[in-house]
């Protein structure tokens, strides 16, 4: 048993590595490569892995960890923002797809119970594939990413009633309204439990794990939270993945979520890869070869049906054409939980013989097609002509000029608007999320709903007469299109762009952006600045060096040599002595004493070269000068000497703090 498991694991992972390397060279999406790996090495392929049961068990854990990581990156507040998409988009997409698929099946001659069951199977989309693709493309925060997430969450909550409904359709179990009420009551209880754990229990537990100081304890605690919540939801009749997602939401409400993400990511990627391989192994290649016209035809019909309905559901939530296209394509495949439903249907006689393999093969084919279709849709979306409800913004343009236009009203856009409002600078905002627009207008914000890739909507907020245009968009494709369009409309405006992808800097500058702020590089510069301040590097030198780092689109930070271009002045200052300023507090031991009495030169090695009092400088002060509270001492010396001088000038700690520190120190010595 152990030898077989090790042998098949070696083949499975070794094959996946080889296929992924080839896929990277050919720029094929990793998910597509993993699905193909499963089809090739599976029982009906080369037969290298003949037993798929163990792989499927690990795959379920992979899906749970994937949803756990997604939940970590959200929050309860963020989830509340998706309620309109969840209810309107999810309800309409799932309901219309189910009815349409069932109607088509009935027209083809299937009995009503079988037709309804087929509709249930086809209505579900793949949470694992869609969220993984959006994560790889860095489009999770984009409008179509948020639409997809809201609809997928609705489908995950729908799994339980569909599983309960399947035996009823087959006639093997009578319809029990009490059972349905119990399940939905369990769902409400589960939601209340999540809120309670997120607010009261999770922070206390994770604090205890963090205080242990053992990294293994923290990692295992996160995994226990994920798997424990998965077990609980499974026991209540829900899916494992839904429980893992809720566990991620609980942890996301604490200050330890980023550490948990870092610890869980390697496990998530490993087991999620097993999931995609296991899906490929389910396909019977002999059946596929013999019946490929029917399989391809059914897969094509599912893609068209689901894609068009999902796009329509996105339109009901108030999103424009490009978002409808991308969301529709993202949700056009059959989901992994459909396989669970198909197995229940087969056990109850609703899906027998060749029909099972036909629907299974077509479902996997839709999964295989999704990465390629999403890439094509992203490129085609930029060329969609203006029509429909978006032309409502073609009204008369505002007469304002010299203002600031904020494109994107997420967290960054809201901070920019707040700063502009406090400075009394005229501004307007453009946002694609209808819920954000509605809430912002309720708060008195001058904001318009619309797609920033559209020239007429940019003109509607006066971008052609704006002095500054600030972009805070998460969708990289839309960002590029919007910057190019803005530069064409406003050749003299200053365009400032925030991007998460450092590789987009040169492209955005080529499209017309004046300043591109890369989040990762700005974080590095902030850390660099704090380090220099700790070493008492003068602020004017720090400002000069940060200008060098930001110059030419962070060229120095993007250079292969880490130290290339660092100014010799800063290096010399870091190696030698420097100057710094210390402001005396009223409790400082230096207050009331003369410079001679203080004798910092002897105590610390640093020298006082000037004193500034009430904005009046005293260069080369007299040794008899008595120091006062609020005086600023200009010190010169090495970094170590300045540290010792600061220690001598600081006020003493309160007695109770000194007592606590001495007690802790004695305890440590006793250990």
């Amino acid at each position: 048993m152990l030898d077989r498991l090790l042998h098949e694991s070696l083949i499975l992972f070794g094959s996946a590595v080889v296929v992924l390397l080839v896929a990277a060279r050919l720029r094929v999406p990793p998910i597509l490569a993993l699905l193909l790996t499963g089809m090739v090495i599976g029982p009906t392929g080369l037969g290298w892995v003949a037993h798929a049961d163990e792989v499927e068990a690990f795959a379920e854990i992979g899906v749970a960890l994937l949803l756990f990581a997604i939940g970590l990156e959200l929050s309860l507040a963020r989830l509340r923002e998706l309620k309109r998409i969840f209810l309107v988009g999810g309800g309409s997409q799932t309901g219309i797809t189910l009815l349409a698929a069932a109607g088509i099946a009935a027209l083809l001659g299937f009995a009503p119970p079988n037709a309804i069951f087929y509709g249930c199977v086809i209505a579900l989309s793949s949470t694992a594939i869609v969220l993984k693709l959006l994560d790889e493309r860095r489009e999770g925060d984009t409008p179509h990413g948020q639409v997809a997430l809201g609809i997928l969450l609705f489908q995950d909550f729908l799994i339980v009633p569909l599983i309960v409904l399947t035996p009823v359709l087959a006639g093997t179990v009578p319809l029990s309204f009490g059972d349905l009420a119990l399940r939905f009551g369990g769902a409400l209880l589960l939601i209340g439990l999540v809120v309670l754990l997120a607010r009261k229990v999770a922070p206390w537990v994770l604090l205890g794990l963090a205080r242990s100081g053992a990294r293994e304890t923290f990692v295992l605690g996160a995994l226990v939270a994920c798997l424990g919540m998965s077990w609980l939801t499974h026991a209540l009749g829900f899916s494992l993945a839904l429980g893992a997602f809720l566990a991620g939401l609980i942890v996301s409400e604490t200050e330890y979520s980023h550490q948990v993400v870092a610890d869980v990511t390697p496990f998530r990627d490993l087991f999620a890869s097993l999931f995609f391989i296991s899906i490929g192994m389910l396909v019977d290649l002999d059946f596929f070869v013999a019946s490929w016209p029917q399989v391809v035809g059914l897969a094509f019909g599912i893609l068209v049906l689901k894609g068009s309905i999902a796009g329509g559901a996105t339109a009901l939530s108030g999103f424009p054409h490009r978002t409808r296209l991308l969301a529709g394509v993202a949700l056009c495949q059959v989901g992994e939980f459909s396989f669970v439903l198909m197995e229940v249907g087969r056990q109850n006689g609703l899906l027998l013989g060749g029909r099972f393999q036909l629907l299974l093969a077509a479902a996997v084919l839709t999964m295989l097609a999704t990465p390629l279709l999403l890439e094509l849709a992203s490129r085609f979306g930029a060329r969609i002509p203006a029509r429909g409800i978006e032309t409502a913004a073609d009204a008369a343009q505002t007469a304002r000029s010299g203002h600031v236009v904020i494109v994107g009203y997420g967290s960054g856009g809201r901070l920019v608007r707040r700063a502009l409002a406090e400075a009394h600078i005229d501004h307007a905002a453009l946002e694609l999320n209808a819920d954000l627009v509605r809430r912002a207008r309720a708060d008195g914000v001058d904001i318009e709903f619309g797609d920033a890739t559209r020239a007429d909507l940019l003109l509607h907020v006066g971008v052609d007469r704006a002095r500054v245009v600030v972009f805070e968009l998460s969708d990289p494709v839309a960002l590029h299109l919007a910057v190019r369009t803005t530069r064409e409309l406003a050749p003299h405006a200053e365009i400032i762009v925030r991007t998460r992808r450092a590789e987009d800097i040169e492209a955005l500058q080529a499209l017309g952006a004046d300043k591109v702020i890369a989040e990762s590089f700005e974080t590095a510069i902030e850390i660099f600045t704090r380090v220099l301040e700790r070493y008492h590097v003068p602020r004017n030198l720090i400002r000069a060096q940060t200008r060098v780092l930001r110059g030419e689109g962070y060229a120095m930070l993007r250079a292969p040599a880490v130290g290339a271009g660092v100014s010799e002045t800063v290096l010399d200052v870091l190696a030698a002595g420097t100057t710094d300023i210390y402001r005396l507090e009223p409790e400082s031991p230096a207050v009331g004493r003369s410079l001679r009495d203080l004798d910092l030169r002897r105590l610390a090695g640093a020298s006082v070269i000037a004193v500034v009092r009430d904005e009046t400088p005293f260069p080369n002060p007299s040794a008899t000068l008595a120091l006062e509270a609020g005086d600023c001492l200009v010190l010169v010396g090495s970094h170590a000497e300045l540290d010792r001088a600061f220690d001598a000038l600081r006020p003493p700690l309160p007695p109770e703090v000194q007592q606590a520190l001495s007690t802790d120190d004695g305890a440590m010595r006793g250990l």
Side-chain angles (χ1 to χ4, degrees):
M1 172 68 179
L2 181 60
D3 290 341
R4 177 177 62 81
L5 183 60
L6 289 175
H7 178 258
E8 292 188 348
S9 298
L10 178 62
I11 293 175
L12 191 148
F13 289 117
S15 303
V17 169
V18 173
V19 173
L20 286 172
L21 287 174
V22 175
R25 289 290 184 90
L26 300 177
R27 297 192 175 184
V28 175
I31 292 176
L32 182 58
L34 293 169
L35 288 169
L36 292 173
T37 300
M39 295 174 67
V40 171
I41 68 174
T44 62
L46 297 176
W48 291 352
V49 179
H51 303 84
D53 296 341
E54 295 91 349
V55 178
E56 291 177 11
F58 285 119
E60 290 191 22
I61 298 176
V63 175
L65 288 172
L66 179 63
L67 269 292
F68 180 62
I70 296 298
L72 283 171
E73 296 170 1
L74 289 172
S75 64
L76 293 175
R78 179 87 173 275
L79 198 59
R80 284 194 293 269
E81 295 179 359
L82 298 175
K83 62 182 179 181
R84 177 178 172 82
I85 299 172
F86 179 88
L87 296 173
V88 178
S92 58
Q93 184 273 337
T94 307
I96 297 173
T97 303
L98 195 158
L99 293 175
I104 294 173
L107 291 176
L108 294 175
F110 290 97
N114 298 77
I116 295 174
F117 174 73
Y118 295 151
C120 294
V121 170
I122 293 173
L124 301 178
S125 301
S126 175
T127 303
I129 286 182
V130 174
L131 297 185
K132 181 70 173 175
L133 279 174
L134 292 174
D135 181 62
E136 290 175 354
R137 295 167 59 88
R138 301 181 186 178
E139 296 178 359
D141 292 332
T142 60
H144 60 273
Q146 295 298 289
V147 169
L149 177 60
I151 292 177
L152 289 168
L153 288 177
F154 182 89
Q155 294 178 2
D156 286 344
F157 276 98
L158 199 64
I159 291 170
V160 176
L162 292 182
I163 291 177
V164 174
L165 181 64
T166 299
V168 175
L169 291 173
T172 57
V173 174
L175 178 63
S176 172
F177 290 102
D179 188 32
L180 289 175
L182 182 62
R183 295 296 181 92
F184 283 108
L188 295 176
L189 179 63
L190 186 63
I191 293 172
L193 179 63
V194 168
V195 175
L196 176 64
L197 291 174
R199 298 291 168 83
K200 303 296 183 182
V201 180
W204 177 75
V205 173
L206 289 176
L207 176 60
L209 295 176
R211 283 178 172 173
S212 70
R215 182 175 180 273
E216 294 81 2
T217 305
F218 206 71
V219 175
L220 290 174
L223 291 176
V224 167
C226 171
L227 299 178
M229 198 69 181
S230 298
W231 173 83
L232 177 61
T233 55
H234 184 69
L236 292 174
F238 295 87
S239 69
L240 290 172
L242 181 60
F245 175 80
L246 295 177
L249 277 179
I250 293 171
V251 178
S252 73
E253 293 295 304
T254 71
E255 57 186 299
Y256 309 101
S257 59
H258 298 295
Q259 180 62 45
V260 176
V261 170
D263 290 336
V264 170
T265 296
F267 299 97
R268 177 200 68 184
D269 294 340
L270 170 64
F271 289 114
S273 298
L274 284 174
F275 163 74
F276 295 117
I277 293 174
S278 69
I279 294 298
M281 293 173 64
L282 293 175
V283 179
D284 187 337
L285 292 182
D286 295 332
F287 178 87
F288 182 85
V289 172
S291 308
W292 71 266
Q294 296 95 316
V295 173
V296 173
L298 179 58
F300 179 78
I302 291 173
L303 291 171
V304 173
L305 178 69
K306 294 196 66 176
S308 57
I309 293 176
T314 306
L316 291 177
S317 298
F319 289 93
H321 291 305
R322 183 173 182 276
T323 303
R324 299 175 205 171
L325 173 66
L326 293 174
V329 171
L331 297 168
C332 66
Q333 76 292 124
V334 176
E336 62 274 358
F337 296 120
S338 296
F339 299 129
V340 177
L341 198 60
M342 289 165 62
E343 184 61 31
V344 176
R346 183 167 66 170
Q347 294 172 1
N348 286 273
L350 288 173
L351 198 61
L352 300 176
R355 293 179 184 175
F356 176 80
Q357 269 300 326
L358 176 62
L359 190 54
L360 175 66
V364 173
L365 198 58
T366 62
M367 290 180 167
L368 286 169
T370 301
L372 300 178
L373 291 176
L374 190 58
E375 179 64 27
L376 292 175
S378 180
R379 296 180 182 180
F380 179 74
R383 304 176 184 177
I384 296 180
R387 60 169 66 95
I389 65 169
E390 294 172 316
T391 58
D394 291 337
Q397 301 174 10
T398 171
R400 61 159 45 126
S401 63
H403 58 299
V404 177
V405 173
I406 306 169
V407 181
Y409 200 67
S411 57
R414 290 194 291 271
L415 289 174
V416 173
R417 191 211 70 84
R418 186 181 305 166
L420 293 173
E422 292 176 353
H424 302 287
I425 297 175
D426 188 23
H427 58 276
L430 186 65
E431 170 58 46
L432 191 56
N433 187 312
D435 291 331
L436 282 180
V437 173
R438 185 172 61 254
R439 288 195 296 269
R441 285 178 175 170
D443 294 335
V445 177
D446 183 0
I447 187 171
E448 296 292 339
F449 170 79
D451 185 354
T453 64
R454 290 276 311 283
D456 53 344
L457 293 175
L458 289 170
L459 290 172
H460 186 68
V461 292
V463 75
D464 55 327
R465 293 180 301 279
R467 179 174 297 178
V468 180
V469 183
V470 179
F471 283 94
E472 285 281 348
L473 296 178
S474 299
D475 185 345
V477 176
L479 177 61
H480 286 220
L481 292 170
V483 169
R484 183 178 64 188
T485 305
T486 299
R487 178 50 72 206
E488 293 172 354
L489 296 173
H492 302 297
E494 181 172 5
I495 299 177
I496 303 173
V497 181
R498 187 270 299 166
T499 179
R500 294 181 177 179
R501 310 198 311 177
E503 60 268 27
D504 287 347
I505 293 175
E506 291 182 352
L508 289 167
Q509 289 175 333
L511 291 171
D514 295 291
K515 294 180 181 178
V516 181
I517 301 172
E519 289 185 358
S520 57
F521 287 159
E522 284 299 320
T523 302
I525 291 174
E526 180 66 20
I527 294 172
F528 174 76
T529 301
R530 297 295 177 88
V531 171
L532 294 188
E533 289 176 348
R534 182 64 183 84
Y535 280 94
H536 309 292
V537 176
R539 289 185 176 86
N540 63 315
L541 293 179
I542 295 176
R543 287 193 294 269
Q545 188 59 34
T546 54
R547 282 196 297 269
V548 172
L549 291 173
R550 291 190 175 103
E552 298 181 3
Y554 308 92
M556 182 190 303
L557 293 176
R558 291 187 285 125
V562 176
V566 178
S567 67
E568 294 296 329
T569 304
V570 172
L571 292 176
D572 292 341
V573 168
L574 288 173
T578 185
T579 60
D580 209 336
I581 300 174
Y582 188 90
R583 187 177 186 276
L584 295 180
E585 300 175 57
E587 298 82 8
S588 171
V591 173
R593 301 172 63 185
S594 67
L595 291 175
R596 178 185 293 120
D597 294 337
L598 188 59
D599 199 5
L600 276 181
R601 180 69 178 172
R602 180 183 59 82
L603 289 175
S607 300
V608 179
I609 62 173
V611 176
V612 179
R613 178 177 297 166
D614 296 329
E615 300 184 2
T616 301
F618 295 91
N620 193 20
S622 169
T624 60
L625 178 66
L627 299 175
E628 300 178 0
D631 285 351
C632 293
L633 308 186
V634 182
L635 303 167
V636 64
S638 68
H639 306 300
E641 290 168 346
L642 290 176
D643 283 337
R644 289 195 295 269
F646 280 23
D647 290 338
L649 295 170
R650 287 192 183 97
L653 295 173
E656 60 272 15
V657 177
Q658 293 183 6
Q659 177 65 29
L661 291 176
S662 63
T663 302
D664 292 343
D665 185 55
M668 291 299 293
R669 284 197 299 270
L671 293 174

